[in-house]
Amino acid sequence: MRNPSSGPTPTPPGGRTGRPRSAAADAAILAATRDALVELGWSKLTMGDVSARAGVAKTTLYRRWAGKNELVVDAVAELFDSLELPDRGSLEADIEYVVLRFAELLRRPEARTALMAVVAESTRDEALRDRIRSAIVDRQKRLVVLGRERAQARGELPYEEDESLAGRTTDLIFDVIAGTVVHRALVSCEPVDELWVATFTTLLMHGLRGPAPAA
């Protein structure tokens, strides 16, 4: 029985009520979506394929997602939500860690296929671009925010009083890191190994001039 002190049961998005969503069912559906996308590709993937693989009724999918676009984006977002940023003791070490983990994730067939598929499809679908931005990009900026806060607390980076400027800086850092790694791993198809990551991090930390010479 639910504890009365825990407050009223939240109303689902859109004001719909009914039986609560099952986290296990959601996880099974998203995993089935990624598997089907790797095997079938974007054009052949259907909601029916996913429902059969996940062992749920097609109506269950449509109660959660309006269509294939939304479902695939959420399947990708779940993968990226697994990225974490443990405190490695310095900004440089934090960057190297998260870049290597991001690259490892992109090497997984389900991540690579799903991300490339939704990005390609979004060039023709503004609503899909908006969903990618909110479900993936905006959520992953949390890692940049956390890394900057730690670096500021260590004295490695200055604090920015202007929230608007801080937001633009966060956006730029995210674009540089995510864009570079995605291009390297998925477009150029070159390795994102420790040597490359160390070189990239040095460039990011010190700019094109490189680190100042030792006194």
Side-chain angles (χ1 to χ4, degrees):
M1 181 178 296
R2 187 174 63 85
N3 185 349
S5 64
S6 63
T9 301
T11 301
R16 292 180 297 177
T17 59
R19 189 164 55 186
R21 288 176 61 152
S22 163
D26 281 0
I29 291 167
L30 295 176
T33 301
R34 293 188 293 267
D35 290 344
L37 193 61
V38 171
E39 183 176 329
L40 303 174
W42 176 278
S43 62
K44 294 182 179 180
L45 176 68
T46 67
M47 298 291 269
D49 293 318
V50 175
S51 66
R53 289 168 185 263
V56 300
K58 195 185 298 185
T59 53
T60 300
L61 266 66
Y62 282 109
R63 280 199 298 268
R64 291 160 162 79
W65 294 277
K68 181 171 75 172
N69 288 3
E70 294 83 357
L71 175 58
V72 174
V73 170
D74 284 3
V76 178
E78 184 182 56
L79 288 178
F80 289 113
D81 283 344
S82 68
L83 287 171
E84 298 294 340
L85 184 61
D87 190 342
R88 311 293 288 185
S90 71
L91 177 59
E92 187 171 1
D94 285 354
I95 293 172
E96 290 182 354
Y97 177 88
V98 78
V99 168
L100 284 168
R101 299 292 85 74
F102 183 35
E104 285 178 2
L105 181 58
L106 292 178
R107 283 196 290 270
R108 294 171 57 177
E110 66 271 28
R112 182 173 60 248
T113 302
L115 182 61
M116 294 293 275
V118 295
V119 169
E121 190 67 20
S122 70
T123 62
R124 300 184 293 273
D125 188 331
E126 184 175 353
L128 180 57
R129 287 198 299 273
D130 290 342
R131 191 173 184 91
I132 291 171
R133 187 179 301 112
S134 62
I136 300 175
V137 175
D138 289 346
R139 288 204 322 230
Q140 292 312 306
K141 286 179 182 176
R142 64 189 169 84
L143 299 175
V144 176
V145 172
L146 176 58
R148 291 187 71 212
E149 288 176 347
R150 285 179 182 162
Q152 288 165 343
R154 298 185 194 110
E156 296 173 293
L157 291 177
Y159 286 96
E160 290 177 324
E161 301 296 335
D162 186 331
E163 292 186 5
S164 176
L165 178 59
R168 291 197 298 272
T169 301
T170 294
D171 290 345
L172 179 59
I173 294 170
F174 179 86
D175 289 344
V176 169
I177 294 176
T180 302
V181 177
V182 168
H183 189 279
R184 174 84 177 176
L186 302 185
V187 180
S188 297
C189 297
E190 296 288 346
V192 182
D193 53 23
E194 291 187 1
L195 177 59
W196 183 89
V197 171
T199 304
F200 169 65
T201 302
T202 298
L203 179 63
L204 188 65
M205 293 285 293
H206 301 289
L208 294 176
R209 293 182 182 275

